[in-house]
Amino acid sequence: MFEILKNLCNTDGASGDEVAVRDLIIKYIDGFCEWRVDALGNIIVFKKGEKRAVKKVMIDAHMDEVGLIITAVTPDGFLKVKTMGAMDVSVLLARQVKINGEVDGVICSKPIHLLGAEEGKKLPKEETLYIDIGAIDKAQALQNVSLGDCAIICGEYCECEERILSKALDDRVGCAVLIDLIRNESKYDFYASFSVQEEVGLRGVKTATYAINPDSAIVLEGTTAADITDVPEDKKVCIQGEGVAVSFMDKSTVYDRVYYKKALESGLKCQSKSAVTGGNNSGAVHLNREGVRTIALSVPCRYIHSASSVALKQDIISAKELALFMLNGIASGEID
């Protein structure tokens, strides 16, 4: 599973430009399930199990990662950009980027020696962001890039014993877990979606859920772990090493109470996600048609939405084990 995760993280796929990630996932799941790609680019999957499910269960993980989109080119060849997804400007300055997987660049940053006293105390605003690709003018820049092209912050996958450091752990951890579930034998039939455009408004999963029309859903995610120095206990959200985080509420969903309690009572290592912040594909999934009972299982990731997110292998394994427990319990009707 971790070799798959490595290859997923090292593949670029900003929102709306998930083709390379999608092709890689298809390579891994082909022959283990039935699959198709819908008009938006979601992969819709049916996994045949040993038994027919009492309830139709969908498992979702999103393929896209945060990035930048080129909106204009200046006369002197710099690229004006907008963020795609929630990104802190502080993690972007002077970072190396890759455009369309081919063109190298760097996000412009004013040298500290030239910052005034007041200017140095403030972060630049998003509208001041530019990418330097070394072009001498607009014409040369447009020979290499076009408006609407996507840039990804470079951050190569590496393992430091039990820790993984990489870009795009949100949500390639979820994709890796879901691929593993599909590639192994299943007790019960289930459906799955590898969805697009989560980071820009939970868009792809809306059509995927409508097509599948599940009774219940398990959303696999990466989430913020703020368990670092000087953060108060009640602000840490979740703790690395304590297992997958189970949400009771966020800014887009109040989660199914029965599923939430059953997960915590499973006997598997897991924890409550303590902060009512953010959101994920559950926000769209649970409102589909007449409603879908939903649970979100999130891998704790430090420094999320940056080039250097950090996750623990044991927490990713925990996500897989709890997802399988919930799948079998819901599909069999034992969890009702």
Side-chain angles (χ1 to χ4, degrees), residues 78-134:
F78 291 91
L79 313 180
K80 180 72 173 171
V81 294
K82 293 282 289 184
T83 55
M84 303 177 72
M87 301 184 76
D88 186 344
V89 173
S90 66
V91 306
L92 298 178
L93 299 180
R95 295 296 313 206
Q96 182 181 352
V97 299
K98 185 79 76 171
I99 303 168
N100 299 332
E102 298 177 350
V103 180
D104 292 300
V106 63
I107 298 176
C108 301
S109 176
K110 194 172 182 179
I112 190 169
H113 312 80
L114 302 181
L115 294 175
E118 291 302 315
E119 189 180 9
K121 297 177 183 178
K122 300 176 182 178
L123 282 175
K125 295 183 178 180
E126 181 182 334
E127 55 266 27
T128 67
L129 294 178
Y130 293 88
I131 294 176
D132 181 358
I133 59 170

Side-chain angles (χ1 to χ4, degrees), residues 238-267:
C238 53
I239 310 296
Q240 290 199 328
E242 294 299 317
V244 64
V246 186
S247 297
F248 52 82
M249 180 179 172
D250 57 37
K251 292 294 186 180
S252 63
T253 312
V254 177
Y255 291 89
D256 186 282
R257 299 297 295 176
V258 172
Y259 290 179
Y260 169 72
K261 290 180 180 179
K262 289 293 185 181
L264 295 180
E265 295 168 356
S266 65

Side-chain angles (χ1 to χ4, degrees), residues 306-327:
S306 78
S308 305
S309 297
V310 175
L312 276 180
K313 288 183 178 181
Q314 65 189 70
D315 290 334
I316 299 171
I317 293 170
S318 165
K320 182 183 77 170
E321 292 174 344
L322 189 53
L324 186 59
F325 172 86
M326 294 302 298
L327 167 62

Side-chain angles (χ1 to χ4, degrees), residues 6-205:
K6 175 182 178 180
N7 292 332
L8 289 171
C9 287
N10 284 338
T11 304
D12 294 342
S15 300
D17 190 29
E18 301 93 348
V19 176
V21 179
R22 180 168 63 245
D23 288 347
L24 182 58
I25 291 173
I26 290 170
K27 176 182 174 182
Y28 284 128
I29 66 173
D30 192 34
F32 294 93
C33 62
E34 299 173 21
W35 61 269
R36 65 181 179 85
V37 178
D38 71 10
L40 283 187
N42 302 299
I43 307 173
I44 309 294
V45 170
F46 172 69
K47 172 67 177 179
K48 181 67 177 174
E50 298 171 7
K51 303 176 184 178
R52 180 176 295 180
V54 174
K55 292 183 179 179
K56 184 189 284 188
V57 181
M58 180 184 89
I59 308 177
D60 172 76
H62 68 88
M63 295 184 285
D64 60 316
E65 63 189 286
V66 293
L68 303 161
I69 190 166
I70 299 169
T71 60
V73 181
T74 67
D76 47 356
F78 291 91
L79 313 180
K80 180 72 173 171
V81 294
K82 293 282 289 184
T83 55
M84 303 177 72
M87 301 184 76
D88 186 344
V89 173
S90 66
V91 306
L92 298 178
L93 299 180
R95 295 296 313 206
Q96 182 181 352
V97 299
K98 185 79 76 171
I99 303 168
N100 299 332
E102 298 177 350
V103 180
D104 292 300
V106 63
I107 298 176
C108 301
S109 176
K110 194 172 182 179
I112 190 169
H113 312 80
L114 302 181
L115 294 175
E118 291 302 315
E119 189 180 9
K121 297 177 183 178
K122 300 176 182 178
L123 282 175
K125 295 183 178 180
E126 181 182 334
E127 55 266 27
T128 67
L129 294 178
Y130 293 88
I131 294 176
D132 181 358
I133 59 170
I136 60 172
D137 56 25
K138 183 174 183 177
Q140 188 180 62
L142 289 174
Q143 291 174 6
N144 295 281
V145 301
S146 301
L147 301 188
D149 285 352
C150 295
I152 293 295
I153 311 301
C154 297
E156 189 174 354
Y157 181 103
C158 65
E159 294 185 11
C160 309
E161 296 182 352
E162 291 303 307
R163 296 188 187 277
I164 293 168
L165 186 152
S166 179
K167 73 173 183 65
L169 288 178
D170 176 20
D171 183 32
R172 304 293 158 70
V173 287
C175 291
V177 168
L178 184 48
I179 290 169
D180 192 76
L181 292 173
I182 291 168
R183 286 170 64 90
N184 284 284
E185 296 296 324
S186 179
K187 286 185 179 180
Y188 296 93
D189 298 344
F190 70 90
Y191 291 79
S193 61
F194 294 93
S195 53
V196 299
Q197 299 187 42
E198 189 267 359
E199 299 292 359
V200 292
L202 322 183
R203 294 172 184 170
V205 80

Side-chain angles (χ1 to χ4, degrees), residues 214-235:
D215 299 308
S216 303
I218 301 168
V219 173
L220 301 173
E221 257 289 9
T223 195
T224 302
D227 58 335
I228 57 177
T229 186
D230 293 333
V231 175
E233 286 297 319
D234 62 332
K235 301 294 185 182

